[in-house]
Amino acid sequence: MEMEANQSEITNSNFMLIAINEAKKGEGFTHPNPLVGAVLVKDGIVLATGYHHRYGDLHAERDCLKNAREKGVDTKGATMYVTLEPCCHTGKQPPCTNAIIEAGIARVVIGSRDPNNLVNGKGVEQLKSAGIEVVQDFLKEECDKLNEIFFYYITHKMPYVILKYAMTADGRTATVSGKSKWITGEKARENVHRTRASVAAVMTGIGTVKADDPLLTCRLNDGKEHHQPERIVIDTNLEIPEESALVKSAKTSKVTVIYGFFNPHTSDRREWLFHQGVETASFSLDEKHRINIKEVLEYLASIGIDSILVESGGELAASVLPFANEVHAYVAPKIFGGVSDIRVPIRGDGVDSPDDAVQFSLCDIERFGDDVLLKYKRQL
């Protein structure tokens, strides 16, 4: 009996792992919605699978049931494995709980609980009230990993922020002459493009725009469709060059320039940028005459930007650090030398004592050729 129970658990795990892999297919395209996958099973056989393809499209449960209908299979009495609690409210799509009940599903196995106040247990209760058996927290840890961005965004009303930089083994982000292309190798830079594809937006500062003229798009040549993040520039005085790659590409991939509203001479500049397809937004300045990053992040969250990859110089990195959920530090086996503190990943005033340090935990180490990626998460 114990062996049969263990075998059943393994089989159930396999079905949920299929749902997890389905969910990953939507990476980058569902912002600010979560990644969700679903699998419909009957008598140990997979009837259909589904996932949330992109924001505004069918949710995973309805996509799965649609695929089952197209196959002409009988869903009555089946079990649905779904990575996140089914929604029970009307948004861009109608409630998934209704579709599950109408399809005659007998059992629903759920991975993650949904912290969204519009759901948060209500979906489970609706299914139970309809006589459906519900199992919760199945492969919860694996399912939760799918939606760290969504969970943070929905509970904190702030974007999930990843601070990324590349540096040499002696901690330099550029040579003494200011050159930084390239510190890391091609494989490491390719991985940065994968990260760009997974977030809603990429943020940089005007100093980086002037120095490196970045495009900040995802440019993976793997034959697959990838999400293009919104590009955001922190530019206090609205100095973004007219010939920059960002301005030139604004009509094909969104660019927003954040500037300080104190400057009375920006109206003509804003008008010109508008005609180039560049959006602008103004914000207050702090006591050091810098844009208030907290206000910017709150604003971006309010318009649906749930995640941001920050690729910038040391000054903006220092401003963003208090809000960073992760730090991605790429380290190359090179030594640039020099004594200037300008070419370092994070500038600012720093701390007086090691005890005052902003504390992160090492969560992963990856190698890309001779380059190393150190991933840190903020300690809660």
Side-chain angles (χ1 to χ4, degrees), residues 7-160:
Q7 185 62 44
S8 176
E9 186 174 331
I10 292 171
T11 302
N12 291 339
S13 297
N14 288 340
F15 293 141
M16 186 60 85
L17 289 173
I18 293 172
I20 289 171
N21 286 330
E22 285 292 307
K24 290 177 180 178
K25 294 178 181 178
E27 187 173 38
F29 294 101
T30 66
H31 300 293
N33 281 355
L35 295 169
V36 186
V39 176
L40 203 57
V41 178
K42 192 173 184 180
D43 298 327
I45 299 172
V46 174
L47 302 179
T49 62
Y51 68 99
H52 185 31
H53 291 237
R54 61 182 69 231
Y55 180 70
D57 284 358
L58 291 176
H59 289 182
E61 300 91 326
R62 286 183 175 271
D63 184 53
C64 183
L65 290 170
K66 174 186 74 70
N67 293 336
R69 286 194 302 271
E70 291 176 352
K71 290 181 177 181
V73 299
D74 182 10
T75 61
K76 289 183 180 179
T79 295
M80 176 175 282
Y81 292 81
V82 60
T83 57
L84 183 69
E85 178 182 0
C87 68
C88 53
H89 65 284
T90 300
K92 292 284 185 181
Q93 293 290 332
C96 289
T97 49
N98 290 358
I100 292 170
I101 294 167
E102 291 166 4
I105 304 301
R107 184 168 176 260
V108 177
V109 181
I110 298 169
S112 298
R113 302 188 182 215
D114 191 339
N116 187 343
N117 288 332
L118 294 172
V119 186
N120 198 13
K122 300 182 182 72
V124 168
E125 288 306 313
Q126 189 171 335
L127 294 175
K128 287 182 176 179
S129 296
I132 297 174
E133 179 189 351
V134 178
V135 177
Q136 295 191 79
D137 301 330
F138 190 79
L139 293 192
K140 182 179 187 300
E141 184 177 346
E142 292 87 342
C143 290
D144 284 353
K145 286 180 180 178
L146 288 169
N147 286 305
E148 289 179 311
I149 287 174
F150 172 73
F151 292 154
Y152 183 84
Y153 171 73
I154 205 71
T155 55
H156 290 80
K157 311 301 180 187
M158 288 281 279
Y160 190 94

Side-chain angles (χ1 to χ4, degrees), residues 320-341:
V320 169
L321 182 60
F323 311 102
N325 301 88
E326 294 186 26
V327 172
H328 291 188
Y330 289 84
V331 183
K334 299 175 181 178
I335 302 293
F336 283 173
V339 296
S340 172
D341 66 350

